[in-house]
Amino acid sequence: MTNTTGFICSCCDSQHPELPMHYSTTAPYVWDESLSGRTDSFLSSDQCVIQAQYYFVKGLVEIPVIGSDDVFSWAVWVSLSRGKFARAANRWDTPGREAEEPYFGWLSTDLSLYSPNTINLKTHVHTRPVGQRPLIELEPTNHPLAVEQRTGITLDRVREIAAAVLHPATDNA
């Protein structure tokens, strides 16, 4: 499914060997490394707790690629209430967990390619079978990320995202 023919980057005019169809962030935007090692905070590849007050799970915002069977995805963090986080954590390794009703959450990842900011977009976290990250469904608003999730993106948009991620703009002002 992933395009392995690569692409010519619009930023550097170089041929990149592969067109990435997935990007991930390592932590919610509010995580700070100074929290590492604290007894009331932790960060794993799937879950995060900050000062025993803020709770997060990692999931995928999946976006269909128009004219193909491919799916582009952002691995993002979503904040959950303490109760919903506890329920999700208790069922994390339970077969059949995908039958859970979606959990409400707030997007807690800053995807800087989008304006306005993606922080605190309303979401529904859909649990999937054990071993699969949850599906993050954005509230159907006019936010560009929500629109892309609903309507899909072109392969040209995937290339545009790749160029922007590979060559982030720097502020030289």
Side-chain angles (χ1 to χ4, degrees):
M1 293 219 317
T2 302
N3 181 329
T4 57
T5 59
F7 72 107
I8 296 175
C9 182
S10 63
C11 288
C12 66
D13 291 326
S14 295
Q15 173 75 27
H16 291 279
E18 191 171 322
L19 179 60
M21 297 297 283
H22 175 80
Y23 295 94
S24 183
T25 57
T26 56
Y29 81 102
V30 292
W31 176 260
D32 185 277
E33 283 304 315
S34 67
L35 298 166
S36 295
R38 288 181 53 145
T39 59
D40 62 352
S41 301
F42 78 89
L43 173 65
S44 74
S45 61
D46 298 306
Q47 300 173 344
C48 179
V49 174
I50 297 177
Q51 298 175 325
Q53 295 180 41
Y54 307 101
Y55 304 88
F56 306 88
V57 295
K58 193 173 192 179
L60 299 176
V61 173
E62 294 182 343
I63 302 171
V65 178
I66 298 168
S68 76
D69 293 330
D70 288 337
V71 175
F72 176 86
S73 65
W74 294 105
V76 297
W77 293 88
V78 173
S79 67
L80 297 177
S81 70
R82 180 184 182 130
K84 295 298 184 185
F85 179 84
R87 179 145 179 93
N90 288 338
R91 297 188 49 80
W92 201 256
D93 295 317
T94 304
R97 70 182 190 165
E98 63 273 15
E100 285 282 294
E101 289 292 318
Y103 306 131
F104 175 80
W106 298 95
L107 189 63
S108 299
T109 298
D110 179 15
L111 298 175
S112 61
L113 301 176
Y114 294 92
S115 181
N117 196 300
T118 57
I119 299 297
N120 290 329
L121 292 177
K122 293 179 181 180
T123 70
H124 292 281
V125 178
H126 296 266
T127 306
R128 297 200 265 198
V130 173
Q132 293 184 32
R133 290 200 188 279
L135 172 68
I136 307 303
E137 175 190 14
L138 297 168
E139 179 180 76
T141 65
N142 288 330
H143 189 281
L145 180 59
V147 171
E148 286 183 350
Q149 188 177 44
R150 280 194 316 275
T151 63
I153 58 177
T154 64
L155 205 50
D156 283 342
R157 174 66 174 143
V158 176
R159 290 183 193 102
E160 178 184 307
I161 291 169
V165 170
L166 291 170
H167 306 285
T170 57
D171 185 7
N172 295 324

